């Protein structure tokens, strides 16, 4: 009998060697990992620079919706002539339509169907109606567009801000920064849980992580709204709806990041930064509204949580909730996808280990 023959039964009795999880340090050298991390951070940094400069380096108005109305006593068709002339401007900075009267213009602005109006006067200067609360950059762009148009037609106008921003909300940026704060908190907590604890290994752990994120979202949503409304006085009232919105922003962002962590591992953190920071922040419509951003950023902004949060704040504070449906739907989608990834990937990994 050989030594191998004697040892074999003992090995069989002990059963197969237990599965050991491997970390990147088990598969790659320290030098390789340092190079990969450095290159990855460099790519994120260059992406950040490229994205922000591309979005903000040359803001150009595009298809800003406005309504045109002619004062009583003017010849029929004057309003349509103005609409045709405005829609024919090179670059199509505005998308004009005819309104019956100034009451309809104000209603369209309140319903967020247009961002301004133009009243053609029978005598004296015309009136440009803006809504800086819907986007200060769009209101400024309208003034510039009509100033240029007036230089060729000889008409002058005065500006009336129908929906001004609050006196403590400079250029309407406070909602943008409030939303960014909520977003940062959501993905930072998710990233911290993933890096310190790791992805959940059981459905019970997945439930604990989800409950922790939900509690954090509720607390940070309320505290952020409390700071903006009570401590700083940026917004008057709206504490409850802003708290609920903030909780949705934090939970949607955090759960989506946790879902990425469960599905992709450590790659979730740079992907979350790419989505929410590199792409989400410049497209959110804070400093520049969607109608003056490049087409790409205007298209994606409302579908990423920074933009959804910014638009949600604007809708709640200045438009009595009008227009909040789309941002809320976006946040619910991120939360649902995140929950599906967390629990689905956890169940799949558990079944694989059991097999």
């Amino acid at each position: 009998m050989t030594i191998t023959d004697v040892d074999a039964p003992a090995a069989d009795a002990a059963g197969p060697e237990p599965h050991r999880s491997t970390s990147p340090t088990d598969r790659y050298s320290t030098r390789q990992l340092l190079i990969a991390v450095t290159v990855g951070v460099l790519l994120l940094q260059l992406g950040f620079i490229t994205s922000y400069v591309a979005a903000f380096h040359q803001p150009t108005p595009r298809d800003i919706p406005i309504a045109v109305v002619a004062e009583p006593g003017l010849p029929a068709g004057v309003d349509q002539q103005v609409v045709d002339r405005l829609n024919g401007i090179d670059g199509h900075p505005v998308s004009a339509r005819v309104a019956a009267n100034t009451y309809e213009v104000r209603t369209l602005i309140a319903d967020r169907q247009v961002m301004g109006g133009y009243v053609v006067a029978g005598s004296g200067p015309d009136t440009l109606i803006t809504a800086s609360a819907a986007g200060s950059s769009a209101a400024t762009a309208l003034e510039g567009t009509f100033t240029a148009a007036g230089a060729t037609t000889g008409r002058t106008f005065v500006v009336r801000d129908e929906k001004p921003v609050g006196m403590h909300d400079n250029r309407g940026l406070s909602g943008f920064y409030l939303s960014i704060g909520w977003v940062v908190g959501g993905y930072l907590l998710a990233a911290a849980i993933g890096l310190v604890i790791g992805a959940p290994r059981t459905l019970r752990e997945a439930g604990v992580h989800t409950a922790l994120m939900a509690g954090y979202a509720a607390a940070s949503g309320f505290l952020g709204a409390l700071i903006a409304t009570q401590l700083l006085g940026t917004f008057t009232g709206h504490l409850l709806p802003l708290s609920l919105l903030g909780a949705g922003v934090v939970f949607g962002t955090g759960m989506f990041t946790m879902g990425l962590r469960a599905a992709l591992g450590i790659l979730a953190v740079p992907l979350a930064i790419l989505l929410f920071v590199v792409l989400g922040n410049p497209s959110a419509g804070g400093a520049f509204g969607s109608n003056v951003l490049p087409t790409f950023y205007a298209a994606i902004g409302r579908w990423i949580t920074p933009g959804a949060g910014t638009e949600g704040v604007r809708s709640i504070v200045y438009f009595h909730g009008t227009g909040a449906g789309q941002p809320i739907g976006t946040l619910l989608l991120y939360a649902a996808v995140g929950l599906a990834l967390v629990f689905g990937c956890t169940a799949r990994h558990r079944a694989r280990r059991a097999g």
Side-chain angles (χ1 to χ4, degrees), residues 6-313:
V6 173
D7 290 341
D12 293 338
E17 183 180 356
H19 173 73
R20 292 186 178 90
S21 60
T22 59
S23 67
T25 55
D26 297 328
R27 301 174 58 187
Y28 304 102
S29 68
T30 301
R31 180 181 178 183
Q32 289 174 317
L33 290 173
L34 285 174
I35 292 174
V37 169
T38 301
V39 172
V41 172
L42 176 62
L43 291 176
L44 278 177
Q45 179 187 20
L46 295 178
F48 183 95
I49 294 171
T50 302
S51 183
Y52 276 66
V53 174
F56 300 144
H57 79 289
Q58 192 176 3
T60 304
R62 182 190 63 258
D63 293 327
I64 300 176
I66 66 168
V68 176
V69 60
E71 287 187 347
L74 289 174
V78 168
D79 47 4
Q80 185 61 54
Q81 293 175 11
V82 173
V83 166
D84 294 340
R85 187 165 64 248
L86 291 172
N87 288 336
I89 298 175
D90 291 340
H92 213 249
V94 299
S95 177
R97 57 189 281 189
V98 173
N101 47 52
T102 55
Y103 174 78
E104 183 181 2
V105 173
R106 291 194 297 269
T107 301
L108 291 172
I109 290 175
D111 291 341
R112 312 202 68 183
Q113 297 185 44
V114 300
M115 300 182 72
Y118 191 74
V119 182
V120 184
S123 61
D126 300 335
T127 301
L128 173 63
I129 303 174
T130 62
S132 58
S136 58
S137 58
T140 302
L142 284 177
E143 290 187 42
T145 298
F146 279 92
T147 298
T152 62
T153 62
R155 300 192 70 89
T156 60
F157 63 89
V158 295
V159 179
R160 189 180 81 218
D161 196 344
E162 178 71 18
K163 288 283 186 179
V165 296
M167 62 181 299
H168 300 296
D169 185 14
N170 182 35
R171 297 183 61 200
L173 292 177
S174 300
F176 167 71
Y177 290 118
L178 176 59
S179 176
I180 295 303
W182 282 327
V183 169
V184 169
Y187 75 72
L188 279 184
L189 178 61
I193 292 174
L195 292 174
V196 176
I197 302 176
R201 292 164 295 180
T202 65
L203 292 178
R204 183 178 181 277
E205 287 186 2
V208 171
H209 291 188
T210 300
L212 175 61
M213 181 59 70
Y216 174 81
S220 59
F222 170 75
L223 292 174
L226 185 68
I227 291 171
T229 59
Q230 306 298 319
L231 181 61
L232 299 179
T234 304
F235 306 124
T236 303
H238 312 289
L239 176 61
L240 178 58
L242 285 178
S243 298
L244 295 175
L245 175 70
V249 173
V250 176
F251 188 74
T253 303
M255 285 308 306
F256 190 82
T257 305
M258 288 176 62
L260 290 179
R261 178 65 177 84
L264 303 174
I266 60 174
L267 286 177
V269 175
L271 284 177
I273 294 174
L274 175 65
L275 177 63
F276 298 122
V277 179
V278 175
L279 294 176
N281 286 3
S283 65
F288 297 96
S290 60
N291 292 95
V292 297
L293 287 175
T295 304
F296 170 74
Y297 293 94
I300 67 173
R302 63 174 58 193
W303 301 109
I304 309 179
T305 55
T310 301
E311 185 61 25
V313 172

